[in-house]
């Protein structure tokens, strides 16, 4: 299987003098030149996520002169994003990420057209959305979206540039059904949500996003122009802590059947529907009132990291981070028959903690629906 591919996009209109000046360093490269830059000008690229990976991808695509860039993200900028999501600034906090990204790209290259999609990618909108673009770049931070992106790209015949980051390590590859492997050839099935660190639990070195995102943007440019050797069929793995790089070959599974897009996988970064093992914010408010009156007894446990608990918390909660539960076991000094109510930021860490607590012999564990974010939204209590 060759990884040298024909250019994905036909050349666009001739460059005007301003474009020749702006992209002069590209034009000096024989692998890109005038025709390659015209292909970039004519390209339409969809970026999934305007977060850690999406930020450098978007910035470099705009700087490179990709004519139309689509951005899919339904989230808002939070202060903790600024450590790594460099497309956003302090003045963008609580703005929609797609709006913040659009304005940043306009300040870098006003010749680029940015299409914002402030939505969550779902099985209902993915195929129609992918059909509007030449290629897709997957900067998602959860397994459900990654599989949805891969399956939709396979059905629509679009190449997909993919990256993943965790702590100090990253992986980057290119998937393209019919030309090489897909994400399902590398990872056929998603792991159970409780088996992998969640979005806010593991941490990530900010600069790692820049390294991986720059590689992803470069792969997109190579696909569009036909320059260089694509990562299609290869997985690049690098560890910034040890400054090591290695590569694995990924082959398409001949027995693999085309999988229709499905959002059936549990999204580890969103809130699951209410179930009997959950407790709503109004129910918790009532329970806390009863506990203050002495008519009810339970333990309220914050499984976020200590710095999160110190910054803002539900009054009367104890700090027992999920990361410590996973590695050091349970340090709770509470009767096994006592009710435990656990919460995190939005829910996934709390659900994983609940499973650990139940396995350790605490039968009555309930998860706060929507987590601390829902508590703040409903009560208006900053609880700092």
């Amino acid at each position: 299987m060759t990884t040298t591919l024909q250019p994905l996009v036909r050349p666009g209109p001739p460059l005007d003098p301003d474009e020749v000046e702006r992209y002069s360093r590209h034009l000096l490269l024989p692998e890109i030149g005038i025709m390659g830059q015209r292909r970039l000008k004519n390209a339409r690229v969809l970026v999934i996520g305007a977060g850690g990976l999406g930020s450098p991808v978007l910035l470099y695509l705009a700087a490179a002169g990709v004519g139309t860039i689509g951005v899919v993200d339904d989230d808002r900028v939070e202060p903790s994003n600024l450590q790594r999501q460099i497309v956003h600034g302090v003045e963008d906090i609580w703005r929609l990420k797609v709006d913040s990204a659009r304005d940043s790209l306009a300040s870098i290259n006003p010749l680029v057209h940015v299409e914002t999609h402030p939505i969550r990618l779902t099985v209902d909108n993915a195929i129609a959305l992918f059909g509007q673009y030449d290629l897709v770049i997957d900067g998602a931070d959860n397994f459900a979206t990654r599989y949805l992106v891969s399956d939709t790209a396979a059905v629509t015949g679009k190449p997909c540039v993919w990256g993943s980051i965790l702590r100090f390590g990253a992986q980057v590859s290119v998937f393209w059904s019919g030309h090489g492997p897909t994400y399902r050839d590398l990872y056929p099935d998603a792991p159970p949500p409780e088996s992998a660190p969640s979005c806010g639990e593991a941490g990530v070195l900010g600069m790692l996003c820049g390294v991986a995102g720059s590689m992803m943007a470069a792969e997109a440019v190579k696909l569009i122009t036909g320059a260089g050797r694509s990562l299609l069929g290869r997985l690049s793995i690098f560890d910034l802590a040890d400054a090591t790089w290695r590569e694995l070959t990924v082959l398409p599974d001949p027995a693999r059947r085309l999988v229709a897009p499905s959002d059936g996988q549990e999204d580890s970064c969103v809130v699951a529907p209410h179930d009997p093992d959950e407790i709503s914010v109004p129910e918790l408010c009532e329970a806390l009132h009863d506990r203050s009156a002495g008519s009810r007894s339970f333990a309220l446990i914050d499984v976020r990291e200590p710095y999160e608990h110190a910054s803002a918390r539900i009054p009367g909660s104890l700090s027992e981070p999920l990361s410590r539960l996973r590695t050091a076991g349970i340090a709770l000094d509470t009767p096994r028959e006592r009710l435990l109510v656990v919460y995190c930021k939005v829910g996934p860490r709390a659900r994983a903690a609940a499973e650990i607590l139940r396995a350790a012999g605490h039968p009555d564990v309930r998860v706060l629906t929507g987590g601390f974010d829902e508590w703040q939204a409903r009560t208006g209590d900053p609880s700092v």
Side-chain angles (χ1 to χ4, degrees):
M1 178 184 62
T2 179
T3 50
T4 301
L5 303 168
Q6 293 298 311
L8 180 66
V9 179
R10 292 180 297 181
L15 305 180
D16 61 36
D18 289 341
E19 291 172 317
V20 171
E21 173 64 22
R22 175 182 286 270
Y23 307 123
S24 61
R25 299 305 185 269
H26 272 178
L27 306 186
L28 294 172
L29 296 172
E31 297 86 352
I32 296 181
I34 291 285
M35 295 306 293
Q37 194 62 49
R38 288 173 58 186
R39 295 181 195 277
L40 290 170
K41 181 178 180 178
N42 202 33
R44 297 179 58 86
V45 178
L46 182 65
V47 180
I48 310 299
L53 289 173
S55 289
V57 167
L58 290 166
L59 292 171
Y60 273 113
L61 291 182
V66 171
T68 301
I69 303 172
V71 192
V72 179
D73 201 313
D74 67 344
D75 204 1
R76 293 181 180 270
V77 180
E78 298 183 14
S80 63
N81 299 152
L82 302 184
Q83 165 256 5
R84 65 202 177 281
Q85 299 182 17
I86 57 174
V87 78
H88 313 297
V90 173
E91 67 280 1
D92 298 313
I93 291 174
W94 307 127
R95 294 183 69 198
L96 283 169
K97 288 185 178 180
V98 293
D99 292 342
S100 169
R102 176 199 59 212
D103 293 346
S104 294
L105 301 193
S107 69
I108 291 173
N109 189 351
L111 304 178
V112 169
H113 174 62
V114 180
E115 297 179 347
T116 59
H117 305 281
I119 58 175
R120 181 187 175 201
L121 192 71
T122 69
V123 67
D124 295 321
N125 59 33
I127 290 179
L129 191 58
F130 281 34
Q132 303 173 35
Y133 295 89
D134 298 309
L135 68 90
V136 178
I137 300 181
D138 182 5
D141 63 355
N142 63 82
F143 290 111
T145 304
R146 289 171 187 160
Y147 283 96
L148 176 58
V149 170
S150 176
D151 295 341
T152 306
V155 168
T156 56
K158 306 292 183 180
C160 175
V161 179
W162 167 83
S164 177
I165 52 176
L166 182 68
R167 298 191 176 105
F168 288 87
Q171 302 177 14
V172 176
S173 190
V174 173
F175 303 117
W176 196 356
S177 181
H179 297 263
T182 71
Y183 183 68
R184 286 191 180 272
D185 291 313
L186 180 62
Y187 298 115
D189 300 296
E194 67 275 6
S195 70
S198 62
C199 306
E201 179 189 349
V204 62
L205 183 70
M207 290 68 74
L208 179 68
C209 303
V211 176
S214 298
M215 288 185 62
M216 294 165 70
E219 288 301 310
V221 169
K222 287 157 59 179
L223 286 169
I224 292 166
T225 63
R229 181 186 176 208
S230 168
L231 272 177
L232 182 66
R234 298 183 292 151
L235 175 67
S236 181
I237 304 171
F238 47 99
D239 186 331
L240 291 191
D242 293 333
T244 58
W245 299 69
R246 61 195 179 103
E247 183 180 294
L248 300 177
T249 299
V250 183
L251 298 175
D253 181 357
R256 175 179 52 82
R257 295 181 298 175
L258 195 64
V259 179
S262 170
D263 58 356
Q265 299 279 1
E266 181 181 355
D267 185 339
S268 63
C269 296
V270 298
V271 182
H274 184 77
D275 64 46
D277 293 325
E278 292 189 345
I279 182 172
S280 68
V281 169
E283 290 171 333
L284 177 60
C285 289
E286 182 179 351
L288 287 170
H289 180 270
D290 292 344
R291 189 174 74 169
S292 297
S295 60
R296 192 167 183 178
S297 176
F298 66 94
L300 179 60
I301 303 168
D302 182 351
V303 301
R304 300 174 300 162
E305 292 303 301
Y307 78 90
E308 296 175 277
H309 179 81
S311 174
R313 58 196 173 274
I314 299 176
S317 60
L318 306 172
S319 178
E320 188 71 25
L322 174 60
S323 57
R324 190 164 64 210
L325 287 176
R326 290 188 192 273
T327 59
I330 298 169
L332 292 175
D333 184 17
T334 184
R336 296 296 176 93
E337 66 277 4
R338 188 182 186 188
L339 169 65
L340 304 180
V341 177
V342 295
Y343 73 91
C344 62
K345 178 176 169 56
V346 293
R349 282 181 282 176
R351 290 196 294 274
E355 292 300 317
I356 294 173
L357 291 167
R358 293 184 187 112
H362 291 275
D364 197 1
V365 184
R366 300 183 70 183
V367 174
L368 177 63
T369 306
F372 185 71
D373 283 3
E374 184 74 7
W375 168 272
Q376 283 192 311
R378 284 183 173 258
T379 66
D381 180 9
S383 302
V384 177

